[in-house]
Amino acid sequence: MTYNFLIGGNDEHGLNPPTAGKRTPVMPFLNVQIYENQFNVEAKRFFLQACLRNGLNVYDVKPEQQDVALSTRVRRVNSQNLTCLVTFAYNAFGTGQTFNSANGFETFYSNLNPKAFQSKQLAEEIFEQLSIDAFQRPRRVDNLNIAMLSQVNCPSALVEAGFMTNLTEAGYMLDPDFQVRVAECSCKGVCEWLGIPYIARNDLSIYPTLRLGSTGNFVELLQYILTLNGYNIAVDGIMGTRTVEALLAFQQRNGLQVDGIAGPMTWKTLLFLPPYPTLRQGNRGVYVQYLQYKLQSKLYPTGTADGIFGSNTLSAVQQFQRDSNLTVDGIVGPRTWEKLAPITSGQRPTT
């Protein structure tokens, strides 16, 4: 089912170049700082995917990699007649040079928004879903008069999903499962606010088989995910030859049946759903990139998360296996995935 709602997604700050100051302290073992937008942009993208899956129309307020002036983003929102806007951000406490104990999530609205009551309801619904998820400490729903909440002409909520000055929550910033978790809870909050049913992500039976000539929200979802994987195609909800060509290339890279048809195995890979394949040096594709981000989130450096299982990824896997009392063979099979996949387990000991 599709609905006549237009949902906006916004990510704070930028990556190319990184917004100054919006970053973690230096992460142990990784020896790098994680920039806030590394979480924000991915959470927004997963949120937009969730909205498409739930039959909602979407608008990306800031598709650019660099930061965009608030006045520009407000102007964009106010030209779209959005049903609502959700912004994704990450919190900080103190100087930002050292890690501390501040933790948890919070959501915000503005009482200066022309639809302040609806904004507060939206922020409360998202907060409620994050609280039901019971993954992190719930902090508060509060008023905050920043531009993306106060100066836009639609109900608007801000999600501060964690603290980048907390070592554990800083690691979560790179974890695709945490990004998905925040995005899905936010989408579920939007669905509750709209009074429509929420469709969960992990049930492959909801994804239709798509082929040349298919149309609709799931085609748009397919196209959107393909663009995030580097394929330059239009996201228009029409499965034409360019989309099929991109899908063929995706299937080839990921060891799938190369038929240009989005069936269950292709959807499973697009969404990097379990059960996870056994991976070893030389493999490449979506699941390798997922592996690399999972390792980085737990403080095991892999170099660039490029989807290629090379020597750096091998070393990270072996060190993770060693620290987890697993067989140190560099092969990511069921036992290694069992230890690696959960968001809350397997972070590398720092003492």
Side-chain angles (χ1 to χ4, degrees):
M1 180 178 290
T2 57
Y3 302 94
N4 190 28
F5 299 120
L6 181 58
I7 311 302
N10 174 54
D11 58 292
E12 286 300 288
H13 313 302
L15 278 178
N16 187 21
T19 303
K22 303 297 183 178
R23 61 189 185 275
T24 71
V26 175
M27 299 293 287
F29 301 109
L30 301 182
N31 295 320
V32 297
Q33 295 171 297
I34 302 170
Y35 286 91
E36 183 184 345
N37 192 254
Q38 288 178 257
F39 167 80
N40 298 347
V41 69
E42 298 302 333
K44 176 197 70 176
R45 290 168 174 173
F46 286 126
F47 170 73
L48 295 177
Q49 291 177 43
C51 289
L52 285 169
R53 187 186 67 247
N54 279 276
L56 302 168
N57 300 303
V58 300
Y59 175 70
D60 189 343
V61 175
K62 188 178 77 67
E64 299 91 345
Q65 287 189 306
Q66 72 271 21
D67 204 352
V68 173
L70 286 168
S71 58
T72 300
R73 284 185 274 154
V74 167
R75 187 165 58 251
R76 289 175 180 177
V77 170
N78 291 344
S79 70
Q80 292 297 313
N81 193 29
L82 297 181
T83 305
C84 69
L85 171 68
V86 179
T87 293
F88 293 91
Y90 226 71
N91 225 328
F93 176 76
T95 65
Q97 299 303 308
T98 57
F99 291 106
N100 53 61
S101 61
N103 65 89
F105 66 87
E106 42 200 7
T107 64
F108 294 93
Y109 64 94
S110 171
N111 58 19
L112 299 181
N113 183 289
K115 298 181 178 178
F117 179 71
Q118 295 97 318
S119 294
K120 184 178 181 182
Q121 286 183 315
L122 177 62
E124 288 174 340
E125 290 288 4
I126 294 173
F127 185 87
E128 176 70 11
Q129 295 307 317
L130 287 165
S131 299
I132 291 171
D133 188 62
F135 180 71
Q136 292 169 279
R137 173 193 171 201
R139 293 174 63 89
R140 59 177 174 160
V141 181
D142 206 353
N143 175 66
L144 182 65
N145 293 322
I146 61 171
M148 296 309 294
L149 296 176
S150 63
Q151 296 178 22
V152 296
N153 60 8
C154 64
S156 180
L158 168 69
V159 180
E160 292 271 10
F163 278 79
M164 55 188 158
T165 45
N166 176 289
L167 177 60
T168 299
E169 292 191 343
Y172 293 166
M173 293 170 71
L174 295 180
D175 191 318
D177 292 311
F178 178 73
Q179 297 161 359
V180 166
R181 198 168 194 147
V182 172
E184 291 292 330
C185 287
S186 300
C187 179
K188 192 170 185 179
V190 169
C191 289
E192 291 286 336
W193 180 74
L194 292 171
I196 64 174
Y198 164 79
I199 300 170
R201 180 176 189 264
N202 291 2
D203 181 1
L204 279 174
S205 69
I206 69 169
Y207 297 91
T209 297
L210 303 177
R211 49 175 49 86
L212 183 66
S214 296
T215 60
N217 266 51
F218 279 94
V219 175
E220 193 171 347
L221 174 60
L222 169 68
Q223 292 169 326
Y224 184 58
I225 298 174
L226 287 171
T227 65
L228 296 179
N229 279 273
Y231 300 99
N232 183 22
I233 57 173
V235 182
D236 58 7
I238 302 169
M239 192 152 174
T241 55
R242 291 287 301 278
T243 301
V244 171
E245 289 168 359
L247 183 57
L248 288 166
F250 177 86
Q251 290 172 328
Q252 178 72 43
R253 177 174 173 80
N254 286 278
L256 298 165
Q257 183 176 348
V258 183
D259 56 8
I261 299 172
M265 286 304 298
T266 295
W267 277 116
K268 175 182 176 293
T269 305
L270 286 161
L271 300 166
F272 50 88
L273 295 179
Y276 305 116
T278 296
L279 299 176
R280 49 175 51 84
Q281 189 171 18
N283 288 147
R284 60 177 59 210
V286 167
Y287 281 106
V288 174
Q289 187 176 55
Y290 172 73
L291 166 68
Q292 291 167 327
Y293 279 126
K294 294 295 287 190
L295 288 164
Q296 290 178 19
S297 75
K298 298 177 191 300
L299 306 181
Y300 294 89
T302 66
T304 304
D306 56 5
I308 301 172
F309 197 136
S311 58
N312 289 335
T313 301
L314 176 64
S315 296
V317 168
Q318 291 171 329
Q319 186 61 55
F320 176 81
Q321 290 173 328
R322 191 172 294 112
D323 292 341
S324 302
N325 297 315
L326 297 167
T327 300
V328 182
D329 58 7
I331 299 172
V332 186
R335 291 290 308 283
T336 300
W337 279 122
E338 182 182 2
K339 296 280 190 179
L340 183 64
I343 300 170
T344 53
S345 68
Q347 188 173 64
R348 190 171 186 176
T350 57
T351 56

